[in-house]
């Protein structure tokens, strides 16, 4: 496993492999990059508002009945996984929110992303870019990738399992959007973050666009950051940027007073 902090200039790229697009042609991914995140931020009001939206959704039925979650359940079945054993991150969050009425506080950015994920019922991942080595690809695993758990152990994904893998052979997520790795977890020293949201359901494009707008608005209001965002497609599947000069990618920059 590599957790080396990068200091070089790209190119850094993110993409879904052709195999993923071939098997999941309805995929709509959002990629966002933001530089200047700090952990001393109060996001409680935003989080509470998104939790209220999510709980309102759950008042009409369980999380498994939501169209976006149903489509991820079918995807997990297609991958050979039992959807009641392995859930996409959004379903796991909604399930916990339904049972406990709230979600644990981990880090302001993670709290915000988890709340957005629950409100939109769309899985999201947030990675510390300083802990990603080279290019990042959502692809079938070779089985040699290293995955760091939060309890300190090391795992190797099953060959063919869809993972977020970087050029150094680190798996930053297992079973696609089921579980992230400790290797790139956002922490108090994180500044540059990479955020991915993925949807498969019929209204995915509309919902992903709304999620992009909400995320961009919140980052600007709370941190004063205008994130770089892009919705990818099978025709344009790759985002390329210099991970350490975020403002080179479209409009991403930190607002100046």
């Amino acid at each position: 496993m590599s957790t080396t902090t990068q200091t070089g200039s790209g190119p850094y790229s993110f993409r879904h492999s052709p195999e993923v697009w071939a098997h999941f042609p309805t995929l709509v991914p959002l990629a966002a990059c933001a530089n200047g995140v700090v952990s001393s931020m109060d996001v409680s009001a935003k989080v509470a508002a998104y939790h209220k939206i999510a709980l309102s959704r759950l008042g009409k039925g369980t999380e498994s009945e939501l169209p976006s979650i149903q489509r991820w359940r079918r995807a997990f079945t297609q991958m050979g996984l039992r959807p009641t054993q392995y859930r996409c991150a959004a379903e796991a969050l909604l399930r916990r929110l339904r049972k406990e009425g709230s979600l644990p506080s981990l880090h302001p950015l993670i709290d915000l992303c988890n709340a957005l994920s629950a409100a939109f019922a769309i899985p999201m991942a947030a990675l510390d870019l300083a802990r990603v080595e080279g290019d990042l690809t959502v692809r079938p695993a070779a089985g040699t990738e290293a995955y760091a758990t939060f309890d300190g152990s090391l795992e190797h994904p099953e060959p063919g399992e869809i993972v977020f893998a970087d050029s150094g052979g680190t798996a930053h997520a297992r079973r696609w959007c089921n579980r992230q790795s400790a290797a790139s977890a956002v922490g108090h020293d994180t500044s540059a973050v990479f955020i991915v949201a993925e949807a498969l359901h019929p209204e995915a494009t509309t919902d992903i666009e709304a999620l992009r707008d909400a995320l961009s608005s919140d980052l600007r209001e709370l941190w004063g950051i205008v994130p770089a965002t892009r919705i990818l497609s099978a025709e344009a599947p790759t985002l390329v940027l210099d991970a350490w000069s975020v403002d080179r990618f479209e409009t991403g920059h930190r607002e100046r007073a």
Side-chain angles (χ1 to χ4, degrees):
M1 178 187 67
S2 172
T3 57
T4 303
T5 299
Q6 288 186 317
T7 57
S9 60
Y12 170 93
S13 74
F14 170 77
R15 71 185 183 106
H16 292 75
S17 71
E19 296 92 336
V20 171
W21 285 109
H23 287 96
F24 303 95
T26 64
L27 173 65
V28 182
L30 167 68
C33 194
N35 200 356
V37 172
V38 295
S39 60
S40 56
M41 185 62 60
D42 182 4
V43 299
S44 57
K46 291 284 185 183
V47 167
Y50 288 129
H51 284 181
K52 185 176 180 179
I53 293 171
L55 289 168
S56 176
R57 280 175 174 262
L58 294 172
K60 302 170 185 176
T62 64
E63 59 279 357
S64 63
E65 298 175 70
L66 297 172
S68 56
I69 301 301
Q70 288 181 340
R71 189 60 189 84
W72 274 111
R73 282 186 159 226
R74 288 198 293 273
F76 273 48
T77 299
Q78 187 176 339
M79 291 187 287
L81 302 170
R82 290 172 54 194
T84 53
Q85 180 179 5
Y86 299 108
R87 297 176 170 87
C88 79
E91 181 178 359
L93 289 170
L94 284 163
R95 190 167 185 260
R96 184 164 188 173
L97 187 60
R98 174 172 56 82
K99 290 186 172 184
E100 301 179 12
S102 64
L103 297 174
S105 180
L106 303 170
H107 178 283
L109 179 73
I110 297 302
D111 296 350
L112 177 66
C113 287
N114 283 346
L116 278 164
S117 178
F120 283 88
I122 291 174
M124 297 177 68
L127 287 69
D128 183 335
L129 275 173
R131 297 181 176 274
V132 177
E133 185 175 346
D135 299 331
L136 184 66
T137 305
V138 183
R139 60 167 175 80
T144 57
E145 298 85 358
Y147 173 89
T149 70
F150 283 90
D151 64 11
S153 61
L154 198 65
E155 300 176 352
H156 296 285
E158 295 293 329
E161 174 187 328
I162 296 180
V163 297
F164 278 55
D166 70 17
S167 299
T170 296
H172 294 277
R174 287 200 62 183
R175 304 179 189 91
W176 200 344
C177 55
N178 166 244
R179 191 157 54 110
Q180 284 190 237
S181 167
S184 53
V186 171
H188 293 294
D189 59 346
T190 298
S191 178
V193 295
F194 188 67
I195 301 169
V196 181
E198 299 160 300
L200 297 164
H201 59 293
E203 301 300 322
T205 298
T206 298
D207 290 345
I208 283 288
E209 288 174 347
L211 175 53
R212 174 200 59 196
D213 294 345
L215 175 65
S216 297
S217 176
D218 292 343
L219 288 173
R220 181 166 187 161
E221 179 181 339
L222 294 166
W223 280 276
I225 297 170
V226 180
T229 65
R230 183 173 294 167
I231 296 175
L232 304 175
S233 67
E235 293 72 31
T238 305
L239 178 155
V240 179
L241 72 157
D242 175 345
W244 312 113
S245 298
V246 177
D247 55 4
R248 288 187 183 180
F249 172 51
E250 293 186 349
T251 60
H253 66 278
R254 186 172 180 82
E255 290 189 322
R256 293 174 174 84

